[in-house]
Amino acid sequence: TLTPTPVFGMVQTNTSEGARIRIEPNGTTVGFLAHGAIVVILPETREVDNLIWVQVQTSEGLQGWMLQSLLRRVTATPAPGS
């Protein structure tokens, strides 16, 4: 069986507190991610009040929702020799 290649995103924010990660779109904040943090973008998206929310997972395993506008997709670079 083929395993889907994860889609990664880099947080793009200009605030000192970072980007909020929420329990649900526009819901309670469960954490903050600094500018430049890398997350896995999960397949589910939702539109709430004309804003697109994407479900993400942090490197620590925390899952939540972020505004799509705060993420830039990045391509994973294979390790040498792989």
Side-chain angles (χ1 to χ4, degrees):
T1 358
L2 295 175
T3 304
T5 303
V7 176
F8 295 96
M10 180 184 294
V11 174
Q12 302 289 293
T13 181
N14 294 327
T15 66
S16 60
E17 70 181 4
R20 294 173 187 262
I21 184 168
R22 300 175 184 264
I23 197 160
E24 60 187 31
N26 214 24
T28 304
T29 300
V30 293
F32 293 91
L33 294 170
H35 178 79
I38 301 294
V39 296
V40 175
I41 300 173
L42 302 174
E44 192 170 353
T45 63
R46 292 189 194 161
E47 184 175 341
V48 177
D49 297 328
N50 295 319
L51 297 171
I52 305 297
W53 293 83
V54 293
Q55 191 172 34
V56 298
Q57 181 172 334
T58 68
S59 58
E60 293 82 25
L62 176 66
Q63 286 190 12
W65 294 84
M66 293 184 64
L67 285 170
Q68 184 180 47
S69 61
L70 297 177
L71 292 170
R72 180 172 56 95
R73 285 186 183 219
V74 293
T75 304
T77 305
S82 59

